[in-house]
Amino acid sequence: MEKFVIHGGKPLRGEVTVSGAKNAAVAIVAATILCDEQCILENVPEISDIAICVKILKEMGAAVSFTGKNTLKVDTRQIKNPVVPYELARSMRASSYFIGTLLGRFHDASVPTPGGCDLGDRPIDQHIKAFNALGAKNENANGVIRVYADHLVGAQIYFDFNTVGGTINAIFAAVKADGLTIIENAAKEPHIVDLANFLNSMGADIRGAGTDVIKIRGTKFLKGITYAIIPDQIEAGTYMVAAAATHGDVLVRNVIPKHLESITAKLRMIGATVDEFDESVRVYVEKPLVKTNVKTLPHPGFPTDMQPQLSALLSICEGTSFVTDDIFDNRFRYAGELRRMGADISIEGKVAVIQGVKELTGAPVKATDLRAGAALIIAGLCASGITEIEDIYHIERGYEQIDEKLRKLGADIRRVYYNNAEIALSV
Ligand code: EPZ
């Protein structure tokens, strides 16, 4: 087992380069199943969710390999067995993307119910609604979801609410349906635009990605291409918040500032200074940081994937902040861990009430999910004393070399191996 050990209180200073976007990369790697030739994907983050996607493709018979740092060569023409292995599928939410892509290509997909961060109930009823609209049937037995169709025909799909995964899966199946599909109330996240750009570069006909209405005309042949994945706006935001929390001065490179607008606006409201350049942002602090209120919203609103990180920062900002996140059932499981470090945070339904304290103190804590883990790292970086974060496998799912990147910014963070049995024995 591994944990991060952080000696806090050191301002982050210097430059950090953001990797490719996790939530774009998992969708685009799955989308190679729809391609009729070989693809080369660049700026692919080397994180565990991608490693699982690669394993799933290989298990089904595809030829997949990293040909250089962050460059993945994928040829899915040899896939014969459209069945995703159980244990791999249940370790991440993105395994649901193999339903849409296998359905689009083989008209038959059997995928174990997806797993991923425990943020409360995460059904895929909207995904199924989209598949049914295109003419597919579905059954759910033994923990496996099977979706199949004699024929996929373009249709009108109206989502009951914004769903990133539902929108992506609807695109996958519609790209291979006959005729026109119109998706209404579509999610607008940057990774949906990136996926549409990838598919259109292969020859698909997708219009309106990034808006509420996406129109897709089915395409028979999708050619192989070389494609570079967009930078990860959540990774970028995480380093921006860490720079503010440690009262540091950090240049975050390889970003698309437009994707960071809501994060930049919030940091400025708190009192941090954010200078924007063409492909980077600089975050530094010149005055005391103060409370703010935030409600997470689908893009372009403040992203739910940045909520835990911002809450960690607000725990040391003067005044009382209210953080509302009703996108998931429960995305506040980190609150108890922050309280171990001296944060004054209480959860009332979908709202975290955070009373800023002067200083957090280091403590042994556990990452409860990917972004909660990032929040605990931020808390550890600005706390006095030593913080030990266990269950860092959650963090490794979505942050490429986070400890190395932080050390380059002057953080005292070490990866320590430990054996649970020893701890049990030492009790
Ligand atoms: C994607 O999850 C991201 N994951 C999440 O990022 C992100 O938090 C989320 O979008 C919102 O932006 C990936 O891209 C792999 P949703 P997804 O469908 O697709 C409910 C991270 O930290 N819902 O927009 O699962 C759902 O339970 C991860 O990188 C249904 O009820 O999000 C949730 O409450 C965490 N039925 C809400 O809608 C459905 O059929 C939004 O879910 C689908 C969703």
Side-chain angles (χ1 to χ4, degrees), residues 56-383:
I56 289 172
L57 287 176
K58 283 182 171 174
E59 286 282 326
M60 292 195 288
V64 194
S65 58
F66 273 100
T67 57
K69 180 138 177 41
N70 305 109
T71 302
L72 197 62
K73 184 170 71 172
V74 190
D75 187 337
T76 62
R77 282 174 285 192
Q78 308 309 320
I79 288 181
K80 296 284 179 287
N81 168 26
V83 175
V84 174
Y86 199 88
E87 277 317 306
L88 292 177
R90 65 176 302 168
S91 61
M92 63 175 188
R93 176 78 174 176
S95 44
S96 67
Y97 295 157
F98 291 95
I99 306 175
T101 49
L102 292 171
L103 175 68
R105 176 165 162 188
F106 295 102
H107 288 183
D108 194 335
S110 291
V111 178
T113 310
C117 290
D118 178 3
L119 308 174
D121 188 23
R122 297 178 75 179
I124 61 165
D125 57 295
Q126 298 295 301
H127 303 228
I128 300 299
K129 171 180 178 170
F131 299 141
N132 293 163
L134 295 167
K137 295 184 180 62
N138 63 286
E139 52 198 41
N140 187 347
N142 312 110
V144 174
I145 298 164
R146 181 176 173 232
V147 183
Y148 55 98
D150 297 330
H151 202 48
L152 291 172
V153 181
Q156 181 139 19
I157 298 166
Y158 193 93
F159 283 122
D160 300 347
F161 43 80
N162 276 167
T163 160
V164 168
T167 301
I168 287 176
N169 250 337
I171 289 173
F172 286 145
V175 157
K176 286 295 182 181
D178 287 341
L180 176 64
T181 294
I182 300 176
I183 302 172
E184 305 212 47
N185 202 11
K188 303 190 276 287
E189 273 65 11
H191 27 293
I192 289 172
V193 177
D194 203 28
L195 172 67
N197 290 340
F198 171 68
L199 290 166
N200 283 341
S201 305
M202 292 202 284
D205 179 355
I206 303 169
R207 300 158 203 258
T211 74
D212 294 304
V213 181
I214 301 177
K215 293 183 178 176
I216 302 157
R217 281 199 183 286
T219 310
K220 285 273 171 277
F221 182 82
L222 294 175
K223 68 180 189 305
I225 56 163
T226 296
Y227 189 83
I229 296 194
I230 55 168
D232 192 317
Q233 84 268 26
I234 303 302
E235 184 192 10
T238 301
Y239 287 108
M240 292 167 73
V241 169
T246 58
H247 286 234
D249 184 342
V250 175
L251 183 70
V252 183
R253 305 172 69 93
N254 186 34
V255 302
I256 299 171
K258 180 144 186 58
H259 292 169
L260 303 172
E261 280 176 344
S262 62
I263 301 165
T264 298
K266 268 305 154 193
L267 285 172
R268 286 173 176 160
M269 281 174 72
I270 290 170
T273 305
V274 183
D275 295 342
E276 290 175 305
F277 306 98
D278 289 347
E279 296 182 336
S280 59
V281 291
R282 180 187 168 205
V283 180
Y284 53 104
V285 175
E286 300 170 296
K287 58 186 180 184
L289 301 181
V290 295
K291 69 166 179 69
T292 190
N293 298 328
V294 66
K295 176 172 172 41
T296 62
L297 287 169
H299 191 77
F302 188 85
T304 175
D305 292 349
M306 280 298 304
Q307 177 264 105
Q309 300 92 307
L310 189 76
S311 295
L313 168 57
L314 291 171
S315 66
I316 53 166
C317 291
E318 206 178 304
T320 304
S321 300
F322 294 87
V323 178
T324 305
D325 190 342
D326 56 10
I327 289 185
F328 288 100
D329 284 349
N330 177 7
R331 197 163 196 171
F332 295 111
R333 291 177 60 223
Y334 61 86
E337 299 304 302
L338 281 182
R339 279 196 289 269
R340 289 173 185 278
M341 301 176 71
D344 180 347
I345 175 171
S346 59
I347 307 301
E348 295 168 20
K350 302 288 178 104
V351 181
V353 182
I354 303 170
Q355 179 67 41
V357 295
K358 275 199 79 44
E359 173 179 82
L360 295 177
T361 54
V365 291
K366 283 181 188 287
T368 52
D369 60 70
L370 166 57
R371 306 303 174 183
L376 293 172
I377 287 180
I378 291 170
L381 291 170
C382 62

